[in-house]
Amino acid sequence: MKRRAWLLGTTAGAGALLVGWVAMPQRSRLGLASMMAAGEGDIALNGWIKILPDSRVVLAMPRSEMGQGVHTALPQLAAEELDVPLSRVQIEQAGWDAIYGNVAMLEGNLPFHPLEAEREDGFGRVKAGRWLVCKLARELGLNATGGSSSVADAWDVVRFAAAAARACLVGAASLQWKLPAEDLRVAGGVVSHPSGLSLTYGELARSASATPPGSVVLKDRSQWRVIGQPAPRLDLPGKVNGTARFGLDVRVPGMRFAALRLAPMLGGEPGRIDAQRALAMPGVQRVVTLPAYGGSTAGVAVVADSFWRAQQAAQAVDVDWIRAPSAVDTQQIDASLRDAVVRRDGYRFYERGNVEQPAPAGSRTIEAWYSAPYLAHATLEPMNATARVSDGRVEVWAPTQVPQMCRAAAARVVGVPEDHVDLHVTLLGGGFGRRLEVDYVAQAVRVAMDVPGVPVQLIWPREEDMRHDFYRPMHVARLRAQVSATGEPVALEIKSAGDAISPRWMERGLPSLSGPIDLPDKTASEGLFDQPYGFPRQRMEHVFTHSGVPVGFWRSVGHSHNAFFTESFIDELAEQLQRDPVEFRRLLLKDAPRHRAVLDLAAERAGWGTRPPAPGRALGVALHESFGSVVAQVAEVSIDRGLPRVHRVVCALDCGTVVNPQIVAQQMEGAVIFGLTAALYGRIDIRDGVVQQRNFPDYPMLTLPAAPTVETYIVASERAPAGVGEPGVPPIAPAVANALFALTKQRHRSLPFAL
């Protein structure tokens, strides 16, 4: 009885704290000037904006640049509100305060149907859930670049910070001239008055730092001069002239190089190690045993005076490898996933009506199974990090999407507080989700511990990178539709199976937040439970599995394969019902006008139904929403020497307000190439625990001569910005599959097509 009373008292106290926390206002993300690094002569006006003596603007940059253009788009937001040319805005790495956390990314992980909020009146379940998660995200302050969320997250906070800085500058001039602030104007980094008085931002910055911003008003859309314009990318000159610094470009005086060699089989580890031959080789300094940091496989690393010597020596180390207790095999995993769909209950992500209701007289059921393989990230820049450990402090240079998590991982390895770790984020030579992991940083720090005071650059050879990735999970799905005797859609049931990514990722990188119980992972079913088609009765469920293969976030995550499942199956239904694929989709989108508008634009620009493709070619269409953006693609396909050849892709999208249309077009083009590569060739096979693919010859990329022409058309919108970096990936595989069916009358239900 006493114990029960104690438990009740504890619960009541926790409940009171929770209620009190919820009742508190959301934490401000404006921040204090002290949160920005102090430099000679520069003046910070809040946690995001500094003014230099020559009136240039410095923006704190919490997001990583991996080709998505965020180092240009976010400065555009600041340039707009501060009325300065984009060329006058520069960036510096943000600090570690919670104001720089990515709120939009965590909000995007909520498992709500995208049409629910639009149908919801007042402050209902969806809006309440989003408010609570955003509040929690502000407290956590997780700094991560992912989920196509960088611009969406910065949209309010960066514009408000820049507008607040502008208000401080105008206020300082107003006080100095004793003139009303509303009579002053701002242009080109100068505050002026019609009388001829003027002061530059640099001249006003110090007094502005002591001037409260007062009421902050964002500029009206009609006043925008930078947002919405196709501005050149700020990171482009350095990438052209070679001054841009990626992880592999880091050079520090006295630096040594380390090459990695991991156990050949997933989950293996080194047993007996004989390093005598390797240590006798020229330039070799150390052989270091590496445990399985951050979910990676254990192995060894060799430190030498050049990477070439380190790599040669790593292969000379004689190791008896110990296999994991159970070896995984992709053929067995595929069979177990199909069995799970049939025999196991799944988590129900979405239900509408009752799919168990007896079918109307004369109706029929159409069923199909679809599957997608494991995929590697295959970033052009392999995994690498540079680290130096000296006198209880750690310095790290890393191409990472999660700087906070890397900092924490480095601190754990050395056993020091996080504030003893200095982390420099470089440009990323491709991220795609692979650099949401911390394994390679932890390994670099561990190697550096063996050579105190010496900076060491650890590089993964391509073969290790390919065979020890955190792969996109293998998934299978059974799709079943019921149609009436007159061909009207009645019900849609989708049941899928595959590993969950988020719990495994949290175990690896956020051990303090992860727990022993797997929570339903939205990424497993995204693109299935949240599809927009208006079947009166629907049920979408997923069976979570744990195959033992290391899985991670891959560009567009679950949407990357689930769009292939749903959009191919919608085409199957259209064919079975003898309907045009575009018109059939329009029928199902009666309650989704935004999606229908995007579909119509893509079809019109592709000449669907009005301009027949050239002889030997066919068109295929797909429509998909992900990360808040709706994308439709029409692919024009032929068969070239027995293999699919994609000649043209027409891409239409609604991504909300567009900050830089040129970057949007670039991202759609890159996404099509990325997704098409996976659709045609991508596959990771595992036999007896060993990944069979080793390098690009057996994990091919799309070549330049085979790349299609990509046309991008953007639907005008006044919504807040949505994702751009990933939404172009999901539709390309089903668009090509549907074109192949139109061309050959053979249905592709598994990926890839060309192997």
Side-chain angles (χ1 to χ4, degrees):
M1 182 63 69
K2 288 181 179 178
R3 185 181 183 194
R4 183 181 180 191
W6 180 83
L7 286 170
L8 287 172
T10 303
T11 304
L17 287 173
L18 178 61
V19 170
W21 174 76
V22 170
M24 291 174 61
Q26 295 206 35
R27 180 192 295 270
S28 169
R29 296 182 68 191
L30 181 61
L32 303 174
S34 58
M35 294 174 181
M36 292 197 74
E40 187 175 350
D42 53 16
I43 304 294
L45 300 183
N46 52 54
W48 294 86
I49 300 294
K50 285 197 305 189
I51 305 296
L52 300 183
D54 62 1
S55 297
R56 283 179 296 157
V57 174
V58 179
L59 171 66
M61 178 55 66
R63 305 292 171 254
S64 302
E65 177 61 74
M66 47 189 168
Q68 82 278 37
V70 68
H71 282 188
T72 301
L74 267 59
Q76 283 186 259
L77 304 181
E80 185 65 78
E81 290 297 336
L82 279 161
D83 277 300
V84 295
L86 180 59
S87 60
R88 301 287 289 171
V89 181
Q90 60 189 60
I91 60 174
E92 68 177 35
Q93 183 177 324
W96 309 108
D97 194 88
I99 67 167
Y100 305 117
N102 192 333
V103 175
M105 186 181 75
L106 295 185
E107 181 189 4
N109 283 326
L110 285 167
F112 294 136
H113 197 292
L115 298 180
E116 276 189 87
E118 297 182 15
R119 297 170 181 153
E120 189 175 76
D121 293 327
F123 195 71
R125 182 179 76 99
V126 177
K127 292 187 175 82
R130 286 178 173 171
W131 182 89
L132 187 61
V133 166
C134 287
K135 181 173 172 60
L136 177 62
R138 286 170 182 251
E139 297 295 330
L140 290 175
L142 177 61
N143 184 347
T145 306
S148 294
S149 60
S150 293
V151 174
D153 183 71
W155 178 242
D156 287 329
V157 65
V158 171
R159 286 192 303 145
F160 185 82
R166 169 168 46 84
C168 291
L169 292 161
V170 171
S174 172
L175 291 172
Q176 184 169 332
W177 295 332
K178 297 180 173 55
L179 293 170
E182 55 267 25
D183 291 346
L184 308 184
R185 62 186 297 269
V186 174
V190 176
V191 180
S192 62
H193 185 266
S195 66
L197 294 171
S198 67
L199 287 169
T200 67
Y201 284 178
E203 293 169 326
L204 285 167
R206 189 164 299 279
S207 57
S209 66
T211 305
S215 178
V216 178
V217 179
L218 297 176
K219 290 172 67 174
D220 187 78
R221 286 174 177 266
S222 62
Q223 299 175 300
W224 288 351
R225 299 293 180 270
V226 181
I227 293 176
Q229 299 305 310
R233 289 178 54 147
L234 299 181
D235 57 332
L236 188 59
K239 291 177 177 177
V240 172
N241 63 31
T243 59
R245 188 166 76 158
F246 293 83
L248 288 175
D249 295 323
V250 171
R251 291 294 181 269
V252 184
M255 191 166 79
R256 295 292 181 265
F257 299 85
L260 189 75
R261 184 180 168 200
L262 300 177
M265 63 295 296
L266 296 173
E269 60 182 354
R272 182 193 64 84
I273 299 176
D274 183 353
Q276 291 186 5
R277 182 180 165 212
L279 289 170
M281 297 174 73
V284 175
Q285 190 171 351
R286 289 280 192 285
V287 175
V288 182
T289 303
L290 295 174
Y293 286 119
S296 182
T297 296
V300 298
V302 175
V303 181
D305 57 6
S306 74
F307 177 68
W308 173 255
R309 285 179 165 177
Q311 188 176 20
Q312 298 305 303
Q315 297 305 313
V317 178
D318 185 14
V319 185
D320 289 337
W321 299 107
I322 302 173
R323 290 182 172 273
S326 58
V328 294
D329 183 282
T330 43
Q331 289 187 344
Q332 294 175 2
I333 293 171
D334 179 76
S336 69
L337 292 180
R338 293 174 185 273
D339 185 69
V341 170
V342 174
R343 299 179 183 276
R344 290 174 54 185
D345 292 332
Y347 177 82
R348 202 162 293 177
F349 276 92
Y350 184 72
E351 190 165 25
R352 179 180 175 184
N354 180 13
V355 297
E356 305 292 348
Q357 184 177 328
S363 65
R364 58 184 172 131
T365 299
I366 301 169
E367 180 180 299
W369 284 77
Y370 280 82
S371 65
Y374 289 105
L375 289 179
H377 293 85
T379 58
L380 185 60
E381 179 189 26
M383 296 301 103
N384 70 90
T386 303
R388 174 168 51 202
V389 179
S390 179
D391 299 325
R393 294 202 65 87
V394 186
E395 191 167 14
V396 177
W397 296 260
T400 175
Q401 295 174 244
V402 281
Q404 278 176 316
M405 290 169 60
C406 285
R407 195 166 173 247
R412 287 195 299 270
V413 171
V414 182
V416 298
E418 287 184 33
D419 60 8
H420 285 213
V421 179
D422 298 315
L423 175 66
H424 312 281
V425 180
T426 68
L427 294 172
L428 284 60
F432 313 130
R434 177 59 177 93
R435 288 183 163 96
L436 288 168
E437 308 293 341
V438 300
D439 55 329
Y440 59 101
V441 172
Q443 292 165 343
V445 171
R446 175 62 189 86
V447 173
M449 289 177 67
D450 267 29
V451 283
V454 177
V456 180
Q457 185 174 93
L458 175 73
I459 302 174
W460 286 42
R462 177 62 65 186
E463 289 76 13
E464 302 294 347
D465 197 25
M466 192 73 73
R467 301 178 78 178
H468 293 284
D469 202 345
F470 295 94
Y471 303 99
R472 187 192 77 175
M474 173 186 285
H475 274 221
V476 303
R478 183 187 65 197
L479 296 93
R480 183 182 291 158
Q482 193 179 97
V483 295
S484 69
T486 58
E488 297 300 312
V490 174
L492 177 64
E493 181 184 5
I494 304 176
K495 190 175 182 182
S496 54
D499 285 10
I501 299 171
S502 297
R504 306 289 82 77
W505 177 74
M506 291 181 68
E507 289 170 358
R508 297 191 294 262
L510 295 167
S512 61
L513 293 181
S514 63
I517 299 175
D518 284 359
L519 295 176
D521 182 7
K522 173 222 177 186
T523 67
S525 189
E526 61 188 6
L528 300 179
F529 81 88
D530 49 3
Q531 47 80 30
Y533 297 117
F535 289 85
R537 302 201 294 267
Q538 301 182 29
R539 184 168 69 196
M540 317 299 176
E541 57 184 312
H542 183 83
V543 180
F544 291 101
T545 59
H546 198 165
S547 67
V549 176
V551 294
F553 298 106
W554 190 90
R555 189 176 183 179
S556 74
V557 203
H559 294 286
S560 67
H561 46 81
N562 289 337
F564 169 64
F565 301 164
T566 56
E567 283 300 291
S568 297
F569 188 62
I570 291 296
D571 242 57
E572 287 204 55
L573 298 181
E575 188 267 333
Q576 290 277 339
L577 298 173
Q578 298 182 341
R579 303 278 187 90
D580 175 81
V582 169
E583 289 306 315
F584 184 62
R585 284 174 171 80
R586 295 188 86 255
L587 170 70
L588 294 171
L589 294 171
K590 288 184 291 187
D591 296 325
R594 184 175 176 229
H595 295 74
R596 195 167 60 244
V598 175
L599 176 67
D600 288 346
L601 179 59
E604 175 198 344
R605 297 294 184 171
W608 188 280
T610 60
R611 296 193 305 273
R617 299 184 183 184
L619 300 181
V621 65
L623 171 75
H624 194 76
E625 178 178 359
S626 61
F627 308 98
S629 294
V630 181
V631 179
Q633 292 174 357
V634 176
E636 183 176 340
V637 180
S638 70
I639 301 296
D640 182 11
R641 287 171 287 187
L643 297 176
R645 172 70 188 274
V646 182
H647 301 271
R648 177 187 181 219
V649 176
V650 175
C651 177
L653 76 153
D654 181 344
C655 58
T657 297
V658 173
V659 175
N660 188 324
Q662 186 168 289
I663 290 178
V664 172
Q666 291 168 351
Q667 287 304 294
M668 290 303 110
E669 292 161 3
V672 166
I673 299 300
F674 186 89
L676 187 55
T677 290
L680 293 177
Y681 312 115
R683 183 186 190 94
I684 288 293
D685 298 300
I686 307 170
R687 295 177 194 154
D688 197 23
V690 179
V691 173
Q692 300 302 297
Q693 288 75 12
R694 297 176 56 86
N695 209 319
F696 288 125
D698 45 20
Y699 195 83
M701 302 284 107
L702 193 73
T703 60
L704 188 60
T709 299
V710 181
E711 304 170 18
T712 300
Y713 302 97
I714 303 172
V715 175
S717 173
E718 293 192 359
R719 289 171 173 253
V724 171
E726 296 170 275
V729 174
I732 188 61
V736 173
N738 295 336
L740 287 173
F741 177 78
L743 195 64
T744 67
K745 299 306 176 186
Q746 294 181 343
R747 184 67 66 180
H748 290 266
R749 297 191 181 95
S750 62
L751 295 171
F753 302 138
L755 297 180

